C-alpha cells in the first residue's frame, strides 16, 4: 500500500470533520463526522444519521453535500469518531469504501496508523472493487 503525502489541506480536512462532529455529537448515539475535499478546494462536511433500521454513515452525507453543490471531483475523504476519545480518525466501512470508489476512484482517504495520519488511495482500500462494466 502506497502512502501519499500529507498536506496542510489534509490536516484542515481532519479539523473540519472534528468541528462538525463536535458541534453535532449526540452522546446517546454513535456519531461520526466526515469531511470531503474537492478539486475546487472546497470542503464539505456531514455527520451520520441513524434510524432503528438503517442510517447512512457520515461519508455519504458529506459526499452528498458536495455533489449537491455541483462538486464532481472529490479528492480526499476523512471520517472521525465523535465523543470523548479525542476524535480519532477512523477508516471508512465497506459500503463507504465502495461509495468513494464509485464517485472518485482516484480519491484518497485519510487514516490513522498507530497515531499517525496517513493517506492512501481508495483503490488500495478496496482492491478489485465492484463496478458496472457497462459504464466503460
Ligand atoms: Zn460507512
Amino acid at each position: 500500500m502506497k502512502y501519499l503525502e500529507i498536506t496542510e489541506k489534509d490536516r484542515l480536512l481532519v479539523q473540519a470533520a472534528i468541528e462538525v462532529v463536535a458541534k453535532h455529537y449526540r452522546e446517546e448515539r454513535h456519531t461520526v463526522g466526515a469531511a470531503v475535499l474537492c478539486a475546487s478546494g472546497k470542503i464539505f462536511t456531514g455527520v451520520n444519521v441513524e434510524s432503528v433500521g438503517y442510517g447512512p454513515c457520515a461519508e455519504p452525507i458529506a459526499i452528498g453535500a458536495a455533489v449537491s453543490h455541483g462538486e464532481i471531483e472529490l479528492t480526499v475523504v476523512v471520517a472521525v469518531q465523535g465523543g470523548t476519545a479525542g476524535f480519532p480518525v477512523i477508516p471508512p466501512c465497506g459500503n463507504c469504501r465502495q461509495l468513494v470508489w464509485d464517485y472518485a476512484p482516484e480519491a484518497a482517504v485519510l487514516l490513522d496508523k498507530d497515531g499517525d495520519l496517513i493517506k492512501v488511495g481508495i483503490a488500495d482500500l478496496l482492491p478489485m472493487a465492484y463496478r458496472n462494466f457497462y459504464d466503460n
Side-chain angles (χ1 to χ4, degrees):
M1 184 177 300
K2 179 183 175 190
Y3 292 1
L4 307 169
E5 181 182 351
I6 298 292
T7 66
E8 188 58 33
K9 200 77 174 179
D10 293 329
R11 297 193 188 284
L12 291 173
L13 196 64
V14 173
Q15 194 57 42
I18 289 172
E19 286 174 12
V20 73
V21 77
K23 187 174 179 182
H24 299 291
Y25 176 69
R26 294 175 63 187
E27 190 171 336
E28 72 279 13
R29 302 235 182 214
H30 168 75
T31 309
V32 173
V36 178
L37 174 64
C38 300
S40 66
K42 291 181 181 173
I43 290 175
F44 293 86
T45 60
V47 296
N48 69 301
V49 292
E50 292 180 305
S51 73
V52 172
Y54 171 71
C57 298
E59 294 95 326
I61 302 296
I63 290 170
V67 172
S68 297
H69 285 84
E71 298 287 345
I72 57 169
E73 194 173 343
L74 314 176
T75 58
V76 186
V77 179
V78 67
V80 300
Q81 175 79 55
T84 57
F87 304 107
V89 171
I90 57 174
C93 75
N95 284 337
C96 288
R97 291 175 194 213
Q98 183 70 52
L99 175 73
V100 172
W101 196 93
D102 286 348
Y103 271 86
E106 305 300 322
V109 177
L110 298 172
L111 301 169
D112 177 280
K113 184 173 187 338
D114 303 325
D116 291 325
L117 188 65
I118 64 167
K119 182 164 68 173
V120 301
I122 187 62
D124 282 344
L125 290 183
L126 194 64
M128 301 179 72
Y130 171 81
R131 63 182 170 150
N132 182 345
F133 287 92
Y134 294 109
D135 288 344
N136 293 335

